[in-house]
Amino acid sequence: MSRSLKAHLLLVMVTFFWGATFVVVKNALADVSPLLFNALRMTLAAVILGALFFRGWGGYSRATLLAGARVGIFLWLGYEFQTTGLQLTTPSKSAFLTGVSVVLVPVFLALFWRRKISNWTTAGVITAFAGLFLLTVPGGAGGLGNWASVNRGDALTMGCAVAFGFQIIFMGRATREHDFRQIAFLQAATAAVAMLLTLPLAGNNYITWTPRALWAIGITAVLCTAAAFTIQAWAQQFTPATHTALIFALEPVFAWITSYLVLGEHLGMRATIGALLILAGILVAELKAAPEAPPGAASFSPA
């Protein structure tokens, strides 16, 4: 098997785990509070990555430490918003809203780094935001939707998309300039420390050590964080950017299918159209906006 084929298959596997575990986490939140779940998950992931990649602080330059910490701060914010929101919304909606982070990247690059936005990118962003509106705002008599009925979990998850949008940008910059293994460890360690330090602010932290809570913590820490970060960083060396973007666009699809099979979730016609528009916007923005980039240049989409 060629390295390219192996990279593609591994990225599909990682994307499947990211998508499927929205349901796993949703079920576990009946037994553990969101911020405590995140702290346990990320601490375990940081310990695993530290055991694999840590070679002493003497091997980390000041620039590497700052780059890893910056990525980790946005990873922390993204997961805190996402998991808290997931307690109040459905797994498939959470996945599609998280996916909006991909189309936010060119918007942030234009606003804060003065990058030009192509017509294809603009079309993708508009399409995704139209889908975002249909997915999150219930229909109303006035035609513009019932804004008063917007789920607080959906709003929190949109905050997650903003945080992950910046995380994608800083992750790309960090891995171009520093060893990906050091960045993988530093971002997880930074996020874990931030989660542990802010845990008391949640006030009502609780956990019941049920099998589903233990399973969710273990699978998200080991497979969706420690293993996924490492596999993705290796695989993108041998995978064209457009191929990686297309594979990552399957994440909300996997979440949608899993949520339907496990929880019997039905989005409804309006929300389904919104979800499909978000997916279309992501594909247009990622696959049509720019010429083919070399392997290793694709963005990162955590879940």
Side-chain angles (χ1 to χ4, degrees):
M1 182 185 297
S2 68
R3 287 188 298 183
S4 176
L5 177 58
K6 185 182 295 184
H8 281 74
L9 293 175
L10 286 172
L11 285 174
V12 171
M13 181 186 71
V14 166
T15 305
F16 171 77
F17 280 120
W18 279 341
T21 49
F22 276 89
V23 172
V24 174
V25 175
K26 175 71 173 180
N27 287 334
L29 291 177
D31 303 318
V32 56
S33 57
L35 300 193
L36 180 56
F37 175 86
N38 282 342
L40 293 170
R41 165 193 180 170
M42 197 58 64
T43 299
L44 179 57
V47 169
I48 294 170
L49 288 170
L52 290 173
F53 300 139
F54 188 67
R55 296 292 183 270
W57 292 112
Y60 291 77
S61 68
R62 183 173 181 273
T64 301
L65 290 171
L66 289 174
R70 184 164 51 231
V71 178
I73 289 297
F74 286 105
L75 187 70
W76 160 61
L77 288 172
Y79 275 127
E80 300 290 57
F81 280 124
Q82 184 189 64
T83 309
T84 305
L86 184 55
Q87 194 174 38
L88 303 170
T89 191
T90 64
S92 58
K93 287 180 72 174
S94 178
F96 278 105
L97 292 175
T98 299
V100 173
S101 61
V102 176
V103 297
L104 287 176
V105 169
V107 175
F108 292 157
L109 288 173
L111 289 175
F112 301 106
W113 284 272
R114 297 184 178 180
R115 299 281 184 87
K116 289 187 65 176
I117 296 182
S118 70
N119 292 335
W120 279 112
T121 299
T122 301
V125 170
I126 292 173
T127 302
F129 274 92
L132 179 68
F133 171 77
L134 293 177
L135 184 65
T136 57
V137 181
L144 295 178
N146 183 4
W147 288 90
S149 299
V150 174
N151 188 310
R152 189 164 66 93
D154 296 339
L156 288 168
T157 310
M158 284 186 275
C160 138
V162 172
F164 279 149
F166 283 109
Q167 194 269 352
I168 289 171
I169 293 170
F170 288 118
M171 167 65 85
R173 294 162 65 94
T175 52
R176 284 196 301 270
E177 299 170 2
H178 308 281
D179 189 311
F180 78 86
R181 291 163 294 191
Q182 292 181 330
I183 297 300
F185 165 66
L186 288 170
Q187 71 158 343
T190 300
V193 170
M195 288 171 179
L196 290 170
L197 290 176
T198 57
L199 193 59
L201 300 179
N204 182 28
N205 291 301
Y206 60 88
I207 185 168
T208 303
W209 296 101
T210 60
R212 65 180 174 184
L214 291 170
W215 169 252
I217 293 168
I219 195 172
T220 54
V222 176
L223 293 180
C224 298
T225 307
F229 288 177
T230 305
I231 290 171
Q232 183 201 10
W234 175 84
Q236 286 187 197
Q237 299 176 83
F238 313 107
T239 310
T242 52
H243 294 195
T244 306
L246 183 60
I247 291 171
F248 283 174
L250 293 173
E251 181 186 348
V253 177
F254 286 140
W256 195 355
I257 293 171
T258 307
S259 186
Y260 173 77
L261 293 176
V262 177
L263 302 179
E265 179 191 351
H266 295 272
L267 286 178
M269 181 59 70
R270 179 185 175 95
T272 298
I273 294 172
L276 293 174
L277 285 174
I278 289 174
L279 186 61
I282 292 171
L283 293 176
V284 168
E286 283 292 289
L287 302 184
K288 299 292 291 184
E292 178 66 61
S299 58
F300 172 75
S301 178

